[in-house]
Amino acid sequence: MKYIKSFFRWLRRCISPVYVMMFIAAFILWYSTKLGDTYTTEHEVVIVVAGEEHSVDCTIRGKGTDLVGYTLWSRGDRFTIPLGELSFEEGVVEENDSRGLHISAVSLQQAIAARMSDVEVLSVGTPPTVELASIVSEVERTQHQPQITKPTK
């Protein structure tokens, strides 16, 4: 502890407080000009569909300040998307003794984009599969019929 205090005393004698303030101001100005540019990045989004949580990778584009904001302050955010906003691809998928429907990538992208208003959602990763039992219970609870679309290839 004694050595740390003596180091800071020596540092205070060699470096002026005005120099430190100007250095910090220059860093803030440089950083703010860099964050004013437009960037494209990958961002993981957690969505809740029919009571099930899914993680979806999204490619988003926006100003650097908005992207830093989403990265720092939205880590724990979950977007709840009702079935009425989504459409599903035709055909039932069977995985691990359960049956489900694939969410359409276009409807998922539109639903996420509506919730991320400051940035542009360019694409979404592989859309998740929602179990039929969850869909049926959600439809019974809310009386929304899911839309089934033919897959685009």
Side-chain angles (χ1 to χ4, degrees), residues 32 35 63 106 119 138:
S32 65
L35 288 180
K63 286 180 56 177
V106 173
V119 296
E138 184 72 15

Side-chain angles (χ1 to χ4, degrees), residues 24 32 57 75 85 112 128 143:
I24 291 171
S32 65
D57 290 324
R75 289 225 179 254
E85 291 184 29
I112 292 173
Q143 297 301 320

Side-chain angles (χ1 to χ4, degrees), residues 3-150:
Y3 296 112
I4 294 173
K5 287 182 180 180
S6 64
F7 172 74
F8 279 116
R9 269 190 250 123
W10 174 80
L11 193 62
R12 193 178 307 158
R13 281 185 291 154
C14 294
I15 300 175
S16 132
V18 174
Y19 174 78
V20 173
M21 288 178 21
M22 290 299 168
F23 182 78
I24 291 171
F27 176 77
I28 290 171
L29 289 173
W30 171 80
Y31 199 65
S32 65
T33 58
K34 288 298 175 188
L35 288 180
D37 294 342
T38 301
Y39 297 97
T40 302
T41 187
E42 292 286 323
H43 187 69
E44 184 178 344
V45 176
V46 178
I47 61 170
V48 179
V49 178
E52 296 180 16
E53 278 191 13
H54 302 280
S55 180
V56 179
D57 290 324
C58 297
T59 303
I60 58 176
R61 179 175 39 209
K63 286 180 56 177
T65 52
D66 297 332
L67 295 177
V68 167
Y70 270 102
T71 303
L72 294 178
W73 290 284
S74 68
R75 289 225 179 254
D77 286 355
R78 287 163 171 60
F79 298 123
T80 302
I81 302 175
L83 289 176
E85 291 184 29
L86 298 173
S87 61
F88 296 86
E89 293 180 358
E90 196 174 278
V92 176
V93 179
E94 296 192 28
E95 296 176 351
N96 302 333
D97 298 331
S98 65
R99 300 173 66 188
L101 292 174
H102 276 298
I103 299 173
S104 166
V106 173
S107 70
L108 182 61
Q109 179 180 349
Q110 291 171 348
I112 292 173
R115 286 154 179 80
M116 297 177 78
S117 59
D118 293 344
V119 296
E120 179 183 359
V121 179
L122 300 177
S123 67
V124 293
T126 306
T129 301
V130 181
E131 289 186 23
L132 279 177
S134 300
I135 293 173
V136 169
S137 65
E138 184 72 15
V139 167
E140 288 173 352
R141 191 175 65 78
T142 62
Q143 297 301 320
H144 283 141
Q145 296 295 326
Q147 301 172 1
I148 308 293
T149 59
K150 292 186 179 184

